[in-house]
Amino acid sequence: MASAPPTAANMGADLKDTAAPQTKYKPCCVCTDQKAKRDECMLFSTSNDPQKECADLVSQYKTCMAGYGFKI
């Protein structure tokens, strides 16, 4: 018995999704190294303006989080 000729309605019927399922990450579990460095800098800074002193580390953390789809 022959199968039906290909049409727009049945051409993708036998195709399976071969893409790997995307992993859903939690914000607490990603960029832990950058987060630890940022927190250490902010908490133990001897500067009068820790935000200014640690701006580079904060930027690195934000960039890392953006890589996982989180907007800070």
Side-chain angles (χ1 to χ4, degrees):
M1 184 172 194
S3 62
T7 64
N10 68 8
M11 285 189 73
D14 294 332
L15 297 177
K16 293 182 181 176
D17 186 14
T18 57
Q22 290 186 346
T23 304
K24 184 106 175 167
Y25 294 102
K26 294 181 181 180
C28 64
C29 303
V30 296
C31 305
T32 54
D33 291 338
Q34 290 86 353
K35 183 179 180 180
K37 290 176 185 175
R38 176 206 66 182
D39 291 349
E40 184 177 344
C41 182
M42 293 294 282
L43 291 171
F44 300 111
S45 173
T46 57
S47 171
N48 289 338
D49 191 1
Q51 287 182 330
K52 192 173 186 179
E53 180 184 345
C54 304
D56 188 45
L57 293 171
V58 172
S59 177
Q60 288 175 14
Y61 177 69
K62 286 182 178 181
T63 301
C64 180
M65 292 296 284
Y68 286 97
F70 298 107
K71 295 182 175 104
I72 300 176

